[in-house]
Each structure stands twice: as structure tokens, then as C-alpha cells.
Amino acid sequence: MIIKFAERFMRLRQDQGFTQQKIAEKLGVTPQAVSKWENGASLPDAEMIRSIAQLMDCSTDYLLDHQVSDVSRRNLESVQKQTEIENAILKPALVLEVGIDLVDMLTEESRNNYALIHRMRKELGSGMGIIVPLIQMRDNITLGEKEYQILLHGKTVMARNISEYPKYFYAKTQDLPAANWHTLMSRGEWLERQDPVPQGYVQFSALDCILARMSEIILQYYDRILNRQLTADLVDIVRRRYPAAVAGVVPEQVSLGRLQRVIGGLVTAGVPVNRLDYIIGYLEEHPGEESGDESVAIAALREELNMDKS
């Protein structure tokens, strides 16, 4: 039962767009508790399971894999149908489509794979100061057995690529960190899994390598990934830490639309936006033009932020 709960809870959380941090806040528990539920290390008490079911708009029977009543089944089917309609209307921002052989890779160790995706999103957040939306993974029977592709808003942004799965990629420790992933790929080699890992080497799974490409795509197209909601979420993070930087400024003097264009332009230019409080202050002091062209602001901020980086 605990494993079924872990799988269903994690899937519901991801489908509804909650991070572990956000759902912990809504349930009044720690992110560590949420992580333990998803890893199958612990099970919430009965009262908490009821709270989860209410938040997720599902039945406790579904969460616990009990035989559901007709009423619960109809309620669940209604929720699922509504979700299908919403998904048909609103295309997910990022989708990783894989061929049949790669499906095994994505499902065999699902918790570990989701952990890798979470780590990738966290690293981009730490390194670039951005929020990465949930990434949907699905199979595509038109792809080759080991092929994968990346879609952005329903359109292909990275065409079919071949994965070396089930082989693993081995790179020399001295080559880390490389200037970029492609540089590292030219130095390492694909081998059958080595146990133990050869001395002086680092092992990467096929999914590690796919997610490295996904990271590049996210940064390259972040101006198209970023929307008003993600921009507002970034502002909320600044508001909690530096309330004076935001109060009376966003959206009163600096609109979310302008902030979105500037953040997107900086990230696609390879400039981290960790100092969002400074960016907001700059835009407050330099009102934008009605045309919406933010090239001047982006160029100035790019120079300033790169100077801080150096």
C-alpha cells in the first residue's frame, strides 16, 4: 500500500503543478516529509491523507489503492476528464518524448528519474535564478526505439536524437566541470555499466545526458518558456526576502510584462538573473518605452550583471 500511495501521490502532485515545497506549505508539513512520502519511506496519518485527498481533489481510496465506491469512481473520472480537457486546451510548456526502449528507462526507476529531473530544475534555479516549469515525459510510437525529442508548447525544438541507453557515459573527473556539455561529450565514452566506476571517472546515465540537452534547450528558449505566472512566482520569491524592493514597484511601476521580457532576454543571452531585486530596481529607475523594446535595458543589465559575476 505504501508504494502505491507514493506513486499516486507523486503523480497527482506533478500533474497539478505542485513542487514539494509548495505542497508542504499547503499541508503544513516539511518538504522532507513530502519527500519521504514520495520515496515510500513513510506514510501520512489518516487525517493527513484526508487533507491530501481534499487538496488533490481525489478520494482517499484512490490514494491508498482501496476498492473505490461507485461515487468515488465517478468523482475520480470527472476529475480525470476535466484534466484531459485542460491538457488539450493548454499545451504543457516542456515535453520529453521518447521511443519504446527509452520508456523502460523512464519507468523502471521512476522515483530516481524524477529525482534527476528535480535536481536539474534545482540546478538551473540556483545557477541562473529561474523557475523551470514541470517537464512532462511521454512515449511516442513514431520515434525509433532509442530516439527522443523535446517539444516546447507542442512544437519540436530539438529534433530526433539517438540515446545510447542502456549504456552509460564515463567522463574523466579532471574534465569536470567542462566549458559546456558538448565539450564534455567529445572527451568521454559510452560503455556498458561499470561496477565499480573506474577510478578517476564519473558515471552518467542516459537520462543524465538527455537532461543536459534539456537544460540547454531551456536556457536557449527561456524567453518563450517564461510566462506571466512564472514571472509573478519569481517576484513573490523576491517579495518574501526583500519586500521593500517590490512593494509599490511591481506591478505599479514595472509591469509583469516588462519584467518578463527583460528576464527572458537576459537568460537567453546567458546572463543569470539571481539578483532580481537589482533588476527590478533598475527598471524602476529607467522607465521603458511604449514600444515594448527592452533591448537597451537588457544590454545595460547584461553589462552590470556580468561585471558582478566577474
Side-chain angles (χ1 to χ4, degrees), residues 146-163:
K146 294 184 179 182
E147 288 184 332
Y148 68 95
Q149 63 183 14
I150 298 173
L151 281 66
L152 174 62
H153 300 305
K155 297 183 178 180
T156 302
V157 291
M158 192 188 78
R160 301 180 179 199
N161 275 255
I162 299 292
S163 171

Side-chain angles (χ1 to χ4, degrees), residues 262-308:
V262 170
I263 293 173
L266 288 170
V267 173
T268 55
V271 181
V273 293
N274 305 77
R275 292 196 57 198
L276 189 53
D277 56 318
Y278 177 85
I279 294 172
I280 292 172
Y282 177 91
L283 297 179
E284 177 190 10
E285 296 172 2
H286 300 80
E289 299 180 2
E290 294 183 2
S291 65
D293 182 4
E294 303 296 347
S295 57
V296 173
I298 291 171
L301 283 165
R302 182 177 181 178
E303 182 175 352
E304 290 289 332
L305 295 171
N306 276 332
M307 284 178 60
D308 289 347

